[in-house]
C-alpha cells in the first residue's frame, strides 16, 4: 500500500474551514481503520503494513494528528456488529474524538452495501468523513454517495463470490478425502505424504463416535 503523494480530495476545503481565532490551522483528528479477514501470517503482515502506512501518512501532514489506529484481525467485513475495533471507532466518533477516518478500501470498511452506506451517512451526520485510499473516494464530496453505492455493491458481490468459491473448494476436498486442516486428529502422514490412521489418537476418535 502506497501513501498518496497528492492532497486527498475534500481535505483542502476542511483545512480552510478549520482555523482558530488567531488564524492558525486547527489540526484534524484523524483515525485509521485497518482490517484483515483471517489471522494467517501473511494477513498479519498485511495488517501491520496498513497500520504503518497510515501512521506515516497522518504524521506527514501538519494539519493532521493521529486520533487512534483501529485494527480488526481475522474478522469478516460482512457484519460490522462483530468487529470490536470498528465499533470502538464508531463510539469514539460519536463521542467527538474523531474528525476524519482513512481506510484502505471500501471492502475494508464493510462488504455489506447497506451497512456501508448506513455508517457513512451516520458519520456524515455528526461531521465525520471517510477517505477510501484505493478508490480515492472522499465522503465529504457532494457526489460521493452515488459512487460509493456502486463500489460498495461491487465489494459485496465480490465477498459473496469468494465465499461460494471457498465452499465449492472445500466440498471437492471432502469428496476426494482430503482434510481442510494440515494437522488432522486421528491421522498422520506417512513417508509418501499419505494420511494413515494414528492408532494412539484413533482410540479417542472411536470413543467419541461410541458416545
Amino acid at each position: 500500500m502506497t501513501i498518496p503523494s497528492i492532497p486527498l480530495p475534500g481535505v483542502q476545503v476542511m483545512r480552510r474551514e478549520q482555523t482558530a481565532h488567531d488564524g492558525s490551522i486547527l489540526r484534524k483528528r484523524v483515525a485509521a481503520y485497518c482490517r484483515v479477514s483471517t489471522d494467517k501470517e501473511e494477513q498479519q503482515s498485511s495488517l501491520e503494513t496498513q497500520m504503518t502506512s497510515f501512521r506515516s501518512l497522518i504524521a506527514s501532514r501538519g494539519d493532521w494528528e493521529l486520533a487512534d489506529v483501529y485494527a480488526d484481525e481475522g474478522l469478516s467485513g460482512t457484519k460490522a456488529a462483530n468487529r470490536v475495533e470498528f465499533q470502538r471507532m464508531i463510539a469514539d466518533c460519536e463521542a467527538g474524538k474523531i474528525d476524519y477516518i482513512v481506510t484502505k478500501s471500501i471492502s475494508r470498511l464493510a462488504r455489506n452495501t447497506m451497512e456501508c452506506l448506513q455508517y457513512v451517512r451516520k458519520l456524515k451526520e455528526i461531521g465525520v468523513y471517510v477517505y477510501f485510499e484505493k478508490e480515492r473516494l472522499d465522503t465529504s464530496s457532494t457526489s460521493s454517495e452515488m459512487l460509493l453505492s456502486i463500489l460498495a455493491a461491487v465489494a459485496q458481490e465480490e465477498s459473496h463470490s469468494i465465499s461460494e468459491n471457498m465452499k465449492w473448494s472445500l466440498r471437492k476436498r471432502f469428496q476426494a478425502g482430503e482434510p481442510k486442516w494440515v494437522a488432522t486428529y486421528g491421522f498422520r502422514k506417512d513417508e509418501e505424504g499419505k494420511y494413515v490412521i494414528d492408532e494412539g489418537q484413533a482410540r479417542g476418535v472411536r470413543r467419541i463416535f461410541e458416545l
Side-chain angles (χ1 to χ4, degrees):
M1 181 171 58
T2 58
I3 298 173
S5 58
I6 63 174
L8 305 185
V11 174
Q12 295 292 339
V13 175
M14 290 188 292
R15 183 187 299 168
R16 288 197 297 269
E17 295 174 346
Q18 297 293 320
T19 56
H21 294 297
D22 60 0
S24 61
I25 298 174
L26 294 178
R27 301 177 73 188
K28 213 73 173 171
R29 297 166 299 176
V30 182
Y33 179 68
C34 312
R35 181 182 65 81
V36 292
S37 56
T38 72
D39 55 4
K40 292 182 179 179
E41 184 176 348
E42 60 269 25
Q43 289 281 287
Q44 178 63 36
S45 176
S46 173
L47 183 64
E48 292 174 355
T49 299
Q50 289 180 51
M51 295 170 68
T52 300
S53 179
F54 284 132
R55 286 182 186 275
S56 299
L57 171 62
I58 294 169
S60 71
R61 297 187 59 110
D63 57 333
W64 283 8
E65 65 179 38
L66 180 64
D68 206 345
V69 176
Y70 304 81
D72 282 312
E73 179 184 355
L75 295 171
S76 169
T78 53
K79 291 185 178 180
N82 297 336
R83 290 180 276 149
V84 177
E85 283 290 276
F86 180 83
Q87 293 301 329
R88 183 171 74 88
M89 180 179 70
I90 296 299
D92 284 349
C93 287
E94 293 174 331
K97 299 178 181 180
I98 298 170
D99 301 309
Y100 204 67
I101 298 169
V102 291
T103 189
K104 183 178 180 181
S105 65
I106 291 173
S107 63
R108 294 303 90 190
L109 188 73
R111 284 191 181 273
N112 180 298
T113 306
M114 289 304 299
E115 275 196 342
C116 181
L117 293 174
Q118 287 171 357
Y119 276 105
V120 166
R121 289 168 182 165
K122 178 179 180 179
L123 292 169
K124 288 177 73 173
E125 288 175 359
I126 57 177
V128 180
Y129 301 100
V130 184
Y131 178 71
F132 302 98
E133 184 187 42
K134 179 181 176 181
E135 296 83 4
R136 292 187 176 275
L137 180 64
D138 190 330
T139 62
S140 66
S141 170
T142 55
S143 61
S144 65
E145 182 152 334
M146 182 178 71
L147 183 56
L148 180 62
S149 300
I150 297 171
L151 294 175
V154 171
Q156 178 175 315
E157 182 56 32
E158 180 186 13
S159 175
H160 176 72
S161 177
I162 292 172
S163 176
E164 290 302 312
N165 288 340
M166 289 181 65
K167 289 178 183 176
W168 180 88
S169 176
L170 288 174
R171 291 190 188 106
K172 290 300 179 182
R173 288 175 66 92
F174 292 154
Q175 289 173 7
E178 299 176 5
K180 175 183 176 183
W181 300 275
V182 176
T184 303
Y185 188 78
F187 295 86
R188 60 179 175 80
K189 283 188 175 182
D190 61 15
E191 295 179 354
E192 297 179 357
K194 296 180 179 180
Y195 282 94
V196 295
I197 295 175
D198 182 327
E199 287 299 335
Q201 296 180 351
R203 288 194 294 271
V205 175
R206 295 189 181 104
R207 180 58 177 160
I208 290 170
F209 274 92
E210 291 173 0
L211 295 173

